[in-house]
Amino acid sequence: GAVVSQHPSRVICKSGTSVKIECRSLDFQATTMFWYRQFPKQSLMLMATSNEGSKATYEQGVEKDKFLINHASLTLSTLTVTSAHPEDSSFYICSASRGLYGYTFGSGTRLTVV
Amino acid sequence: DAKTTQPPSMDCAEGRAANLPCNHSTISGNEYVYWYRQIHSQGPQYIIHGLKNNETNEMASLIITEDRKSSTLILPHATLRDTAVYYCIVRVYPLSGGYQKVTFGTGTKLQVIP
């Protein structure tokens, strides 16, 4: 079945630094990918929609200059958390559309900013 | 997207059937019902989807009422590994090949008890 690979699975970074998270569709092309954030005991919150070859579309309240999204190819989207702060610590998840079969999700990235 | 409502939590004895309800009373005629589950600290996993007919696969069965205003996900023989948060989502299948962003509700936390 379709697989979405997300790396790293876990990262700890110092406050003020930037962190890049990769999301790859391994056996299918994904013109559109989605990025979610999830805080403990809460549901997934959609952050942005990533479109191959064009600018990402951000949800209301999500800072586009802080969460940089690049979708340079049909199989790779990246999310860069710039100048990370402790409040950015969260579980980040990407997903790719599979048409009628809905979405395939990555395994998530646990970001801890210290 | 039509909104969905689910009970926040349910318990089920191991080996018994788990029946998870979902209300989607404002669903449109071209919206499908999808079910995903999220095991702790992992990305959501696709379970099943349907439009108006009941569906069954190796994981679960999906029963959709005739008026399509509600549905039930059935795990026929729940195991401890089925303990997870289950999300019911409705979305249009983009026949044009486009995409539709998906937002998650709070889901149902299913606890399978030994």
Side-chain angles (χ1 to χ4, degrees):
Chain A
V3 176
V4 171
S5 176
Q6 186 173 343
H7 293 281
S9 59
R10 188 179 297 267
V11 58
I12 301 173
C13 71
K14 292 184 177 180
S15 185
T17 61
S18 296
V19 173
K20 180 184 285 188
I21 303 170
E22 291 190 349
C23 181
R24 293 179 184 274
S25 56
L26 296 186
D27 51 359
F28 67 103
Q29 293 183 334
T31 55
T32 302
M33 291 186 176
F34 304 89
W35 288 94
Y36 294 84
R37 180 168 54 183
Q38 185 175 36
F39 292 107
K41 298 186 178 181
Q42 294 187 21
S43 186
L44 286 78
M45 184 190 78
L46 180 65
M47 298 176 66
T49 302
S50 168
N51 301 296
E52 187 268 336
S54 64
K55 291 183 178 181
T57 303
Y58 291 82
E59 296 299 302
Q60 191 173 9
V62 178
E63 301 174 60
K64 62 180 180 180
D65 294 331
K66 181 168 186 62
F67 299 99
L68 300 180
I69 292 173
N70 183 278
H71 195 154
S73 75
L74 289 172
T75 59
L76 174 64
S77 176
T78 61
L79 168 68
T80 301
V81 183
T82 63
S83 187
H85 292 287
E87 57 265 31
D88 298 323
S89 297
S90 188
F91 191 56
Y92 293 86
I93 308 169
C94 68
S95 74
S97 176
R98 288 183 55 214
L100 185 59
Y101 292 94
Y103 297 87
T104 298
F105 290 81
S107 54
T109 298
R110 175 77 57 193
L111 171 63
T112 303
V113 184
V114 297
Chain B
D1 287 351
K3 293 183 178 180
T4 62
T5 55
Q6 300 175 251
S9 64
M10 292 182 65
D11 290 341
C12 177
E14 187 178 18
R16 303 295 294 269
N19 297 285
L20 293 91
C22 179
N23 181 287
H24 32 80
S25 58
T26 59
I27 191 170
S28 300
N30 60 348
E31 288 184 309
Y32 288 73
V33 180
Y34 285 81
W35 283 83
Y36 292 84
R37 72 180 182 184
Q38 186 180 25
I39 296 170
H40 182 63
S41 294
Q42 297 182 25
Q45 175 191 24
Y46 165 83
I47 301 173
I48 198 168
H49 75 279
L51 182 61
K52 55 183 179 181
N53 298 320
N54 297 339
E55 302 289 344
T56 296
N57 62 19
E58 64 278 5
M59 290 183 68
S61 294
L62 174 61
I63 308 298
I64 303 174
T65 58
E66 191 169 344
D67 63 7
R68 301 207 329 120
K69 293 184 177 182
S70 65
S71 61
T72 300
L73 178 73
I74 301 173
L75 307 178
H77 305 286
T79 69
L80 298 178
R81 287 178 294 182
D82 291 322
T83 293
V85 178
Y86 288 76
Y87 295 99
C88 167
I89 294 162
V90 293
R91 69 179 280 264
V92 174
Y93 170 54
L95 296 177
S96 63
Y99 70 91
Q100 182 189 47
K101 64 181 182 182
V102 169
T103 54
F104 284 77
T106 54
T108 296
K109 182 175 175 58
L110 175 68
Q111 181 70 50
V112 180
I113 303 169

